[in-house]
Amino acid sequence: MSSATCSRAGCHDAARWRIDWRNPRIHGVDRRKTWVACDAHVDYLRGFLASRAFPVQVAELTDAEPTA
Ligand SMILES: [Zn+2]
């Protein structure tokens, strides 16, 4: 149940990071999306969001996180 899989398309590695982000154009201030990423893709996904000027926050994934 705690084995979340990386959000990067085509990657099936276990996620170790969570990336909380928001699109200010479509999401309210209290609404956030969460991606999860393996070690290899956390920088890619964070860069993808940062390049769009979306607010993005990266944290270590813990066992308590939902796997949606
Ligand atoms: Zn990955």
Side-chain angles (χ1 to χ4, degrees):
M1 192 166 161
S2 62
S3 57
T5 302
C6 181
S7 296
R8 176 79 169 106
C11 180
H12 302 292
D13 288 348
R16 294 194 53 222
W17 302 93
R18 60 175 292 159
I19 303 168
D20 294 309
W21 64 277
R22 184 169 68 84
N23 181 343
R25 292 187 182 183
I26 62 174
H27 296 145
V29 289
D30 56 350
R31 174 102 186 276
R32 278 196 301 180
K33 301 267 292 176
T34 300
W35 286 350
V36 293
C38 68
D39 283 341
H41 292 127
V42 59
D43 286 339
Y44 172 88
L45 292 170
R46 177 172 49 192
F48 178 88
L49 296 164
S51 70
R52 283 156 178 75
F54 292 172
V56 56
Q57 185 173 30
V58 177
E60 266 190 273
L61 187 66
T62 68
D63 288 343
E65 300 300 335
T67 57

